[in-house]
Amino acid sequence: MHGVDIKQAQIDLARSVAEAGKHANATFHVGDVTDLPFDDDSFDLAHGHSILTYVTDTQAVLAEVRRVLKPGGLVSVREGIIGSSFVAPDFEILGDAWVTFAELITSDDGHPNIGRNLKRHLLEAGFTDLRPTASFTSHTTADEVRFFWAVIRDWFLSPAVREAATEYGLISHQHLDNLERAFDRWSRHPGAFSAFAYGECLGNKPQR
């Protein structure tokens, strides 16, 4: 099994998780998903999670995936649908976080709701026997809520993302501070629940 990510930090994390789980068959590479370091027809299966959301050229990625798959090989993709994700209770403000998140992705030429269109994109890339589905990843137990709040605090509300959001003119520092207080309040609420929406699709590289 081979894993690829463009960021060294993600590769280091993946390696540590694989080692902790004693998965000795996993090899990880820093690389560009539009220029994979593998020969044609190398793999039976290619899986991508939350990749197409952040890459500008969707078809370039899928063409490269098709290249490295063997004839008849399976492609599996799962991508976010930010516009269908939610936090509850939202205290009449937390919905703004999803809007800002989507606008940040769009500002970087990404695709915040590409999960809705995976069937079309795979069809255009030449894959066959397409099987689209949709699902939610939810957070409702105390541990799950703490985990989601930590992701929000350490990424979305991090200094780097705050700076990008304000420089793009998407949101003010004051509103980000209000969101942080509301998310902290949400994390301590007994009814706290969040759900991140995803589109999914399976397909096959045509047989020769």
Side-chain angles (χ1 to χ4, degrees), residues 116-188:
R116 295 172 178 165
N117 298 305
L118 295 177
K119 182 180 180 182
R120 172 172 63 82
H121 287 299
L122 265 65
L123 180 66
E124 291 173 357
F127 291 99
T128 60
D129 192 23
L130 303 179
R131 290 90 79 192
T133 54
S135 66
F136 285 93
T137 294
S138 59
H139 307 90
T140 185
T141 68
D143 286 344
E144 291 167 349
V145 168
R146 279 193 294 269
F147 168 79
F148 188 71
W149 167 223
V151 171
I152 296 295
R153 183 185 60 238
D154 297 340
W155 182 78
F156 181 72
L157 294 170
S158 69
V161 176
R162 280 174 173 261
E163 190 63 28
T166 52
E167 282 189 1
Y168 284 138
L170 304 178
I171 194 169
S172 68
H173 286 290
Q174 181 61 54
H175 202 53
L176 283 167
D177 290 342
N178 292 340
L179 283 172
E180 183 168 6
R181 285 190 289 269
F183 267 115
D184 181 60
R185 178 185 175 193
W186 171 83
S187 72
R188 293 179 281 105

Side-chain angles (χ1 to χ4, degrees), residues 2-136:
H2 294 266
V4 177
D5 196 279
I6 201 166
K7 294 183 178 180
Q8 182 65 53
Q10 293 299 314
I11 294 300
D12 294 342
L13 176 61
R15 285 177 178 150
S16 66
V17 171
E19 289 170 3
K22 298 181 179 180
H23 301 299
N25 66 333
T27 303
F28 299 97
H29 315 261
V30 175
D32 184 346
V33 73
T34 64
D35 185 22
L36 294 170
F38 308 114
D39 293 334
D40 295 357
D41 304 337
S42 293
F43 298 103
D44 297 305
L45 167 66
H47 173 66
H49 190 296
S50 300
I51 295 172
L52 300 177
T53 298
Y54 301 100
V55 177
T56 301
D57 192 341
T58 303
Q59 286 303 311
V61 176
L62 294 177
E64 189 68 350
V65 170
R66 181 173 170 176
R67 180 186 69 78
V68 301
L69 275 176
K70 297 176 182 178
L74 179 68
V75 61
S76 164
V77 289
R78 189 174 196 240
E79 299 289 334
I81 307 173
I82 307 303
S84 297
S85 303
F86 63 90
V87 171
D90 71 0
F91 306 120
E92 299 183 354
I93 186 176
L94 292 180
D96 294 350
W98 295 107
V99 173
T100 302
F101 182 28
E103 290 175 341
L104 273 170
I105 294 171
T106 301
S107 295
D108 286 332
D109 298 321
H111 315 282
N113 294 296
I114 198 170
R116 295 172 178 165
N117 298 305
L118 295 177
K119 182 180 180 182
R120 172 172 63 82
H121 287 299
L122 265 65
L123 180 66
E124 291 173 357
F127 291 99
T128 60
D129 192 23
L130 303 179
R131 290 90 79 192
T133 54
S135 66
F136 285 93

